[in-house]
Amino acid sequence: RLQILVLALGFVCCVMLAIDWMYPKQEQTAAVDVSSHYAQTVRVEKETPLFEKKDGEYREIGRIFKGTVLKFDKQGAQNMKEKYFRLQTDDCYILTDHVVPEQTEENSVKKASVYLPFNENIVTRDSYVIQNEAGNKLAEVTRKASYPIYVKDEDRYGVQLGNALVYIPKYAVAATRHADNTSEPIAKQIPVFMYHYFYSKENGEVSKNGNWLEVNDFEAQLKYLKEHNYVTLRMQDVENFLDGKVQLPKNSVSITIDDGTASIYKYAYPLLKKYGDSATLFLIGNHLKDDKLPQSFQEMKQNGMELQSHSYGMHTGGCEGGHGGALRCVAHDEGVTDTEKSFSIIGGGNVYCYPYGDVTDSALQIMKDAGVHMAFTTNYGKIEPGMDKLQLPRVRIFGDADIQQFIYSLES
């Protein structure tokens, strides 16, 4: 996955401006009109130098690698008579003929990293690379710098440059040092809310059982979260928190919605967009016509909703014990195949929600062998680092709960 560097490389430039660079100055050629080549978002077509502008001259301060997606400053801020385009920061430029326009879909709920920095900085070696989450090279810089740590991964550190979370390998780090980066309260535990179905009294609909939530009550809950500065997490954020790799704000929550009914797109999704929240939707594969993802779920996925598995065909009874779910007595290989198929239909994933909440030793082995990273039950509780990631609790939201009960479940 390509990382969009918005202010990221600009921060690198600012660091470099404090250093006396010993690279040859780039001489200007005859003026040309490059306005026809401008686009707000571009992809680097081939490896290209990164420049700063100092005293009217361009100096090379690093390299940006092929495939990296960048955002330029607005068109009115560009000098269309030079061969350089400026990134979304002062004094950081690349050559106009080394990029091509990139068509990107803006995620309506996409945010900068929600992570808080550790009170610790890295100090790089004299030369280091900047990578995206997938480990692909985005840029190479040739002078040491210091950055606050946002992610402590096994073999790399995550740092935030502008609005971009990027990574620097540990082999490129010379030292780590204490720094007073934040005093904001951090989360010790987080509620993962469990919703099911939504209805509207205004449209003449009624609740069928305790899993049905009136749409105005759902909006009141989202409104409370927004007014009290809560952030909603994606599953990768949740996993990083459980692994102790990141620090999250105290006001952090995760929203999950089970079963994948039409009421999500009709009622929940518009409100999630309105309040800028994301949610994880656990879908049942064999409830989807022809095993294909409907356009509504494709749209929701593209606009910040995360799709994960509630099994392909295990959301049915037939077994003894627990809630009688089929996963309790299915053969191991059949269970693994069912799980893998459910992920293939939704376009990939690694998070599972147990049908009926049933968890057994055989179900746990199925999860492990199917490559599942996290699996949620219906057991009540909040999550915290060190928990078994294949037996995670949630906080169920009942349809008859008023806003005070919601606040209690959120803050208690």
Side-chain angles (χ1 to χ4, degrees), residues 2 28 42 55 68 75 97 109 144 182 234 245 301 361:
L2 294 171
Q28 281 285 5
V42 297
D55 299 327
T68 300
Q75 189 166 6
D97 59 353
V109 297
K144 68 173 58 178
T182 184
R234 294 181 63 80
K245 294 180 179 181
K301 182 178 181 179
D361 289 342

Side-chain angles (χ1 to χ4, degrees), residues 9-295:
L9 293 170
F11 184 83
V12 174
C13 292
C14 293
V15 172
M16 303 312 169
L17 284 172
I19 301 172
D20 183 19
W21 294 92
M22 301 302 296
Y23 291 94
K25 296 179 181 179
Q26 301 296 314
E27 298 296 334
Q28 281 285 5
T29 58
V32 293
D33 186 352
V34 297
S35 56
S36 61
H37 301 290
Y38 175 83
Q40 180 82 55
T41 305
V42 297
R43 181 187 300 271
V44 175
E45 193 173 30
K46 58 184 177 180
E47 184 177 311
T48 184
L50 176 68
F51 299 95
E52 67 174 11
K53 188 175 184 180
K54 190 173 183 180
D55 299 327
E57 301 290 344
Y58 292 91
R59 299 185 182 190
E60 184 177 337
I61 60 171
R63 295 183 297 159
I64 304 176
F65 293 95
K66 179 180 178 179
T68 300
V69 176
L70 304 169
K71 284 193 174 182
F72 285 141
D73 205 346
K74 58 186 179 181
Q75 189 166 6
Q78 306 288 348
N79 184 345
M80 295 300 175
K81 301 301 182 182
E82 294 184 347
K83 64 178 182 178
Y84 304 91
F85 280 145
R86 185 168 67 177
L87 302 182
Q88 279 190 338
T89 183
D90 291 338
D91 300 315
C92 203
Y93 302 77
I94 62 173
L95 296 169
T96 60
D97 59 353
H98 285 196
V99 296
V100 294
E102 171 74 2
Q103 298 297 323
T104 59
E105 293 289 338
E106 288 298 323
N107 186 332
S108 63
V109 297
K110 193 171 184 179
K111 307 183 182 88
S113 170
V114 297
Y115 306 151
L116 296 176
F118 290 90
N119 285 321
E120 193 174 1
N121 287 3
I122 61 168
V123 179
T124 70
R125 299 188 184 279
D126 289 343
S127 178
Y128 62 96
V129 296
I130 297 173
Q131 301 174 338
N132 64 8
E133 187 175 3
N136 300 317
K137 287 184 179 180
L138 299 174
E140 186 175 274
V141 185
T142 52
R143 281 290 191 258
K144 68 173 58 178
S146 178
Y147 303 104
I149 298 173
Y150 281 81
V151 181
K152 292 183 176 181
D153 217 340
E154 183 177 350
D155 57 358
R156 60 184 185 171
Y157 292 106
V159 300
Q160 190 160 322
L161 304 178
N163 286 333
L165 181 65
V166 296
Y167 295 86
I168 296 175
K170 286 188 176 180
Y171 66 76
V173 175
T176 60
R177 295 174 181 169
H178 175 79
D180 295 324
N181 291 322
T182 184
S183 59
E184 185 174 339
I186 63 173
K188 301 297 184 182
Q189 54 179 208
I190 291 171
V192 178
F193 289 125
M194 174 175 54
Y195 296 88
H196 282 83
Y197 319 121
F198 305 89
Y199 73 100
S200 169
K201 290 180 180 178
E202 184 179 336
N203 291 340
E205 299 166 347
V206 297
S207 171
K208 297 180 181 179
N209 57 47
N211 285 330
W212 287 78
L213 181 66
E214 213 284 326
V215 64
N216 289 315
D217 292 334
F218 184 54
E219 178 164 20
Q221 294 169 9
L222 296 182
K223 184 178 180 182
Y224 183 89
L225 294 178
K226 185 175 183 65
E227 289 176 346
H228 292 80
N229 300 313
Y230 278 84
V231 296
T232 51
L233 307 174
R234 294 181 63 80
M235 284 295 146
Q236 186 61 62
D237 303 327
V238 171
E239 185 174 11
N240 286 342
F241 170 74
L242 291 169
D243 289 340
K245 294 180 179 181
V246 300
Q247 295 188 137
L248 293 171
K250 183 179 179 180
N251 286 7
S252 296
V253 301
S254 174
I255 295 174
T256 65
I257 308 175
D258 292 5
D259 296 354
T261 66
S263 70
I264 299 173
Y265 185 76
K266 185 175 182 180
Y267 294 125
Y269 172 57
L271 291 175
L272 289 164
K273 284 203 303 180
K274 176 180 178 179
Y275 289 96
D277 291 316
S278 60
T280 299
L281 315 181
F282 288 115
L283 307 188
I284 304 168
N286 68 357
H287 286 195
L288 304 176
K289 185 178 180 181
D290 299 324
D291 291 348
K292 293 181 179 179
L293 196 62
Q295 180 60 40

Side-chain angles (χ1 to χ4, degrees), residues 329-381:
C329 59
V330 69
H332 175 269
D333 289 350
E334 183 182 348
V336 171
T337 299
D338 183 278
T339 304
E340 293 175 340
K341 184 175 182 179
S342 68
F343 285 121
S344 68
I345 290 173
I346 61 176
N350 53 35
V351 184
Y352 193 86
C353 171
Y354 292 104
Y356 302 129
D358 281 337
V359 186
T360 62
D361 289 342
S362 61
L364 290 171
Q365 192 60 50
I366 288 171
M367 294 301 104
K368 293 175 184 177
D369 293 345
V372 172
H373 288 197
M374 296 187 294
F376 288 90
T377 69
T378 55
N379 295 333
Y380 184 89

